[in-house]
Amino acid sequence: MVRVQPGELDDPALELVREAEVLGSPPSHDNGPVTSPMNDPLAVPPPDLDLDTLPATVARTWGLDGELVAVHGERDRNFRIETAGGRFLLKVHNPADQEPVLDLQLSALRHLRSVAPDLPVPEAVPARDGRPWVVLSGQDGRRSSAWVMTWLDGRHPDVQGLGHQQLREWGRTAARLGRALRGFVHPAASYPIAWDIRRLAQLRPCLTAVDAGRRPALEAVLDRFEHRVEPELRRLRAQVVHNDLAPGNVLVDESSALTGITDFGDMTHTALVCDLAVAAADLMSGREGGLELAPQVIAGYDAVTRLEPGELALVADLMAARCAAAVLITAWRTREQGWAPAVDAGAYRQLEEMLEVGLDRLAAGFVTALRGGSHPAYGVGGPPYHHRSTAELLAARQRSLGPQELSYASPLHLVAGRGVFLEAADGRRYLDAYNNVPVLGHSHPAVVEAVSAQLATLNTNSRYLQEAPVELAERLLATLPERFDRVLLVNSGSEANDLAWRIARHATGASGGIATSWAYHGVTEATYPFSPESWGSAEPPAHMRLVEPPPAPSSAVAEAAEQLRSSGHGVAAMLVDGVFTSDGILGPAHAWTAAAAAAVHEAGGLYVADEVQAGHGRTGDALWSFVAGDVPVDLVTLGKPMGNGYPVAAVVGPAELVDPFVESTDYFSTFGGGTAACAAAVAVLRTLEQDQVVDRVAAVGSRLVRALCEVTTGRGEVAGVRGWGLALAVDIVDAESGRPDPDRTRRIVEGMRERGVLIGRTGRDRSTLKIRPPLVFADEHVGVLTDALGATLADR
């Protein structure tokens, strides 16, 4: 007979196989979830069994003679079989379960027991005729598959009582399980399930079932997931994973040692890091201070399977996705079916807490805790900045920083950035097609990890013997022509150009400089004269001569050099940005720059290639713009793109120029070449090479130029479109007179911001649109930019 003990049906310790709560078909984006009763397993009633004859069926089919004790099963019928030879578990599956999915689970269990026998998972007990499962008919005529498994002793852990060691062990277990499944494949593993958080966007129709007060938080997570997380997941490691290492699916003994892993019903092929995020989210859900403890689980996982930078950067978002999925699925099932497991309350509380801290701050905190240590005053969320309204922050800025310029008529209050997107305080995301400094995109995980790890280990000046500045110098020199064999590390592009000017004056004994007529080369006292963009229509200093950039004749350089000779200054150096960014983005102009360099050399001066804006692959045909034109430069200057925004820069030159200067001046920069700065720069160079960024820049830049030409064709206010890699320009004029129209250009920049795209202005007349995005700008972003520009031009 079958016995049901009082309270046993609700005893969580006996919930050995809590079957997957899956939607058999992905929800429709148009009409809400489209699961019919036979498609949604929870909508199908459990098997209707004849309990009087079931023991005899078990004895006849499996040779197991004993008492059957009913245990918990949400949508199946589960029984503990008490025999003289031990305990077993009989599971009679819901009639909705399909045989390929059952075979997936059994095959995975066999695989695990073969490759990782130390993992305590149940073993299938074949029927007497060798079948892994049999089909039973219920009293209502429905047919269900049934199998028998070995029994796993233990209890579910008390989550509140788990300390740091137990939490790390949980993470290690998740990683061991994932590692064991690494080589496992099965055709049914791609079966779509709603609990695969990679598919979170497909749950958006479930929002209609959610309480109105909860919807804004869920919508924010869904929007962020679709725009920021989903595209990144495609690039990460993927395999079959357990996908549900929750407290209800783990058994431990009295000492909290692992005795069992159950419930393989949510197993699927997805991004590997999703498995960790599910375990961490479920383990922390409802626990006081759970977010502060999450790094323990992550660290345990990482100790077994080291997380790649891209994976670690997404853990916080994926934990939020797990919480959002729990709320969405519970709400929909409650509305459609009248009941669902009450997992939404704890999940929503955790989601609220995560959003209050900020997912970017959480992600940065996880990276810091794992790769760079943690600061007790900061906790998981990072530095404790004030969270002021835009108006409050603007007033505070004016009081403390004074009248320094802000972009846009209504200042843009930014709080986060990742890839080619920036996020404002109001939650709106902007495509960044303006900022050239983060060449790898905002918050690139390789740079974040490198800097965090180095700051936690050592960050000091370069007068101590260290690996970091030497490796950086070697990597830099390997990208440049052989004549360059010295690197001087500094903190910014202005400082680099200042130092190059000092070297030039030391080498030549001259004091005269040449720059193009609207150039920008820095803010120091020495570089400000080379930056007419900053001082406008004022007369140049006596030691400076300005020349018109291409397409004006390069002969002006020789004329300027002669004037400096006649005035007694001579020519120490000419500084040139090969893209001529501030002059209006006029490159490539290889013949012009080569002729300019020849004229400077003829006058006894040095030609300095300012690669701050033009370098690191910006042009798409070489890492450095002057190399593309084989320009015979003497010194090369680099700026903050070198560290993806972390303060690091450099002057590169030949020993015959650099060494005498250093020896005679005892040159030294305290944190020029600081260890963390070097770590950032090495990460940038390594990533540029590994990801073949230069080749991608050329392809995407070419597509963007064509798209800009198409969207501006026939518009009288557009006088021209040009570009070199991902440095692009659109000239704006008055449609009637053809004269540069800076006011219209300003309105276009403002209109693009209103449509979620950030660009800038450049050129002497400020009438050229400057499009200069991070180098990870991709094909999918081209249409976003050109659609916004087309709409803005039509509206302005």
Side-chain angles (χ1 to χ4, degrees):
M1 65 174 293
V2 177
R3 175 165 58 89
V4 178
Q5 295 181 341
E8 195 158 37
L9 286 174
D10 299 318
D11 184 354
L14 298 175
E15 189 186 341
L16 293 182
V17 187
R18 182 177 54 80
E19 187 59 29
E21 303 156 348
V22 301
L23 296 176
S25 301
S28 162
H29 282 277
D30 298 322
N31 302 310
V34 293
T35 50
S36 69
M38 284 308 293
N39 282 334
D40 185 353
L42 277 188
V44 179
D48 181 17
L49 303 172
D50 184 346
L51 301 183
D52 292 331
T53 63
L54 186 59
T57 300
V58 171
R60 182 175 62 254
T61 306
W62 283 277
L64 298 173
D65 191 4
E67 183 180 21
L68 270 61
V69 180
V71 296
H72 179 76
E74 186 178 321
R75 50 181 293 277
D76 312 303
R77 299 297 297 273
N78 298 317
F79 305 88
R80 186 175 71 237
I81 309 172
E82 301 277 6
T83 74
R87 290 176 165 181
F88 300 88
L89 175 73
L90 168 66
K91 181 180 188 63
V92 184
H93 289 267
N94 190 285
D97 288 349
Q98 303 296 311
E99 288 195 357
V101 176
L102 301 184
D103 186 67
L104 165 66
Q105 296 179 40
L106 284 182
S107 297
L109 289 172
R110 285 194 295 267
H111 176 83
L112 287 171
R113 294 182 68 84
S114 171
V115 302
D118 56 324
L119 288 172
V121 299
E123 181 179 8
V125 178
R128 298 175 72 177
D129 60 6
R131 286 178 294 170
W133 65 77
V134 301
V135 177
L136 304 180
S137 294
Q139 296 184 107
D140 56 3
R142 294 182 303 150
R143 295 162 63 84
S144 299
S145 298
W147 63 36
V148 170
M149 295 279 178
T150 53
W151 181 265
L152 299 176
D153 288 313
R155 60 175 178 82
H156 296 315
D158 174 14
V159 175
Q160 299 295 336
L162 296 178
H164 285 198
Q165 181 177 347
Q166 287 83 15
L167 292 172
R168 284 179 175 256
E169 186 58 36
W170 201 290
R172 282 191 285 268
T173 299
R176 288 166 56 207
L177 187 55
R179 179 165 291 213
L181 287 169
R182 182 179 298 172
F184 175 71
V185 293
H186 193 282
S190 59
Y191 179 77
I193 65 171
W195 287 109
D196 179 1
I197 53 179
R198 180 187 55 172
R199 303 175 185 270
L200 178 70
Q202 297 179 9
L203 296 179
R204 185 178 286 274
C206 297
L207 276 170
T208 58
V210 176
D211 181 79
R214 291 181 171 183
R215 288 180 196 168
L218 294 168
E219 288 174 338
V221 173
L222 283 164
D223 290 345
R224 179 182 170 99
F225 186 90
E226 290 177 350
H227 290 102
R228 297 179 58 172
V229 181
E230 201 169 34
E232 296 298 322
L233 282 175
R234 303 189 191 108
R235 303 173 183 171
L236 303 182
R237 293 178 291 183
Q239 64 169 72
V240 176
V241 298
H242 181 274
N243 198 42
D244 198 13
L245 200 66
N249 298 326
V250 171
L251 298 171
V252 297
D253 61 18
E254 293 306 314
S255 66
S256 295
L258 181 70
T259 64
I261 300 171
T262 67
D263 188 1
F264 285 75
D266 279 0
M267 191 165 52
T268 189
H269 187 282
T270 190
L272 178 62
V273 70
C274 290
D275 203 29
L276 166 62
V278 166
D282 288 2
L283 199 55
M284 299 300 108
S285 182
R287 175 163 182 170
E288 187 71 25
L291 291 182
E292 296 291 335
L293 296 171
Q296 301 298 327
V297 183
I298 301 169
Y301 188 99
D302 187 69
V304 175
T305 298
R306 185 173 176 83
L307 292 164
E308 296 177 352
E311 293 170 329
L312 181 55
L314 290 184
V315 172
D317 277 287
L318 294 173
M319 288 176 62
R322 173 68 168 187
C323 295
V327 177
L328 289 163
I329 294 172
T330 300
W332 185 81
R333 285 189 168 140
T334 300
R335 184 185 71 182
E336 298 296 317
Q337 301 161 15
W339 179 86
V343 298
D344 60 323
Y348 185 73
R349 283 196 300 273
Q350 178 166 303
L351 184 60
E352 279 191 310
E353 184 181 353
M354 295 181 76
L355 293 176
E356 182 177 351
V357 173
L359 295 180
D360 287 305
R361 295 186 73 201
L362 277 175
F366 291 165
V367 171
T368 300
L370 208 63
R371 300 287 184 253
S374 61
H375 195 298
Y378 296 165
V380 172
Y385 297 123
H386 294 298
H387 294 285
R388 291 177 275 206
S389 70
T390 299
E392 292 170 336
L393 185 60
L394 181 59
R397 175 190 168 97
Q398 291 169 340
R399 288 193 301 270
S400 58
L401 299 179
Q404 297 181 52
E405 182 181 0
L406 280 168
S407 299
Y408 301 105
S410 176
L412 186 57
H413 181 179
L414 296 176
V415 296
R418 182 171 294 173
V420 293
F421 288 96
L422 291 166
E423 184 175 327
D426 61 4
R428 187 173 185 188
R429 296 170 70 250
Y430 294 86
L431 176 64
D432 182 4
Y434 174 76
N435 286 290
N436 66 304
V437 170
V439 287
L440 299 181
H442 300 280
S443 307
H444 193 282
V447 180
V448 171
E449 180 177 345
V451 172
S452 299
Q454 191 60 63
L455 284 172
T457 306
L458 174 69
N459 188 33
T460 188
N461 70 72
S462 57
R463 275 189 169 160
Y464 298 107
L465 185 61
Q466 304 171 67
E467 190 69 47
V470 177
E471 180 178 348
L472 173 56
E474 290 174 337
R475 283 180 174 272
L476 268 179
L477 293 173
T479 69
L480 290 157
E482 290 186 5
R483 65 182 181 276
F484 296 101
D485 55 3
R486 291 292 187 271
V487 176
L488 296 179
L489 297 170
V490 291
N491 301 284
S492 71
S494 292
E495 189 178 345
N497 283 329
D498 187 296
L499 180 58
W501 173 243
R502 290 178 61 193
I503 294 172
R505 292 202 60 184
H506 182 273
T508 64
S511 61
I514 304 173
T516 52
S517 61
W518 206 248
Y520 176 81
H521 293 287
V523 297
T524 68
E525 184 174 4
T527 58
Y528 185 72
F530 285 88
S531 304
E533 183 193 46
S534 298
W535 41 268
S537 59
E539 286 296 317
H543 72 288
M544 286 297 304
R545 294 296 184 271
L546 304 182
V547 299
E548 291 302 315
S554 60
S555 58
V557 178
E559 295 169 5
E562 175 57 27
Q563 293 172 13
L564 287 171
R565 186 197 63 77
S566 300
S567 67
H569 291 96
V571 178
M574 179 179 186
L575 273 61
V576 176
D577 162 13
V579 174
F580 301 92
T581 311
S582 297
D583 288 296
I585 305 181
L586 303 172
H590 300 319
W592 193 99
T593 51
V600 169
H601 290 155
E602 179 68 22
L606 303 186
Y607 186 94
V608 180
D610 181 346
E611 294 284 333
V612 174
Q613 298 190 78
H616 284 92
R618 171 68 51 187
T619 61
D621 49 11
L623 203 59
W624 315 111
S625 68
F626 80 90
V627 172
D630 196 24
V631 181
V633 308
D634 300 292
L635 297 171
V636 182
T637 58
L638 312 176
K640 283 184 288 295
M642 184 173 167
N644 210 52
Y646 196 92
V648 60
V651 177
V652 187
E656 60 265 25
L657 291 176
V658 175
D659 289 358
F661 168 78
V662 172
E663 291 166 357
S664 65
T665 63
D666 194 28
Y667 173 78
F668 174 66
S669 173
T670 303
F671 264 78
T675 328
C678 292
V682 168
V684 169
L685 288 174
R686 182 185 297 123
T687 305
L688 287 172
E689 179 181 2
Q690 290 176 347
D691 292 357
Q692 299 179 314
V693 171
V694 176
D695 292 340
R696 289 214 319 263
V697 166
V700 176
S702 177
R703 293 187 187 98
L704 182 52
V705 167
R706 291 196 301 270
L708 288 170
C709 290
E710 290 172 5
V711 79
T712 59
T713 296
R715 302 211 63 91
E717 70 271 32
V718 177
V721 174
R722 59 186 170 276
W724 188 11
L726 281 176
L728 302 103
V730 179
D731 293 327
I732 304 299
V733 297
D734 178 82
E736 295 183 1
S737 68
R739 290 192 293 269
D741 194 338
D743 187 58
R744 181 185 292 271
T745 309
R746 177 190 56 78
R747 295 198 306 271
I748 292 171
V749 171
E750 293 281 352
M752 292 288 281
R753 178 258 179 95
E754 293 169 8
R755 290 171 173 82
V757 178
L758 307 182
I759 62 173
R761 294 190 292 163
T762 190
R764 177 187 292 274
D765 299 302
R766 305 286 287 169
S767 60
T768 296
L769 299 177
K770 177 168 59 176
I771 300 170
R772 190 190 52 178
L775 301 186
V776 290
F777 190 92
D779 288 342
E780 61 262 31
H781 306 126
V782 170
V784 177
L785 189 153
T786 54
D787 287 350
L789 181 58
T792 302
L793 290 172
D795 191 40
R796 301 283 156 170

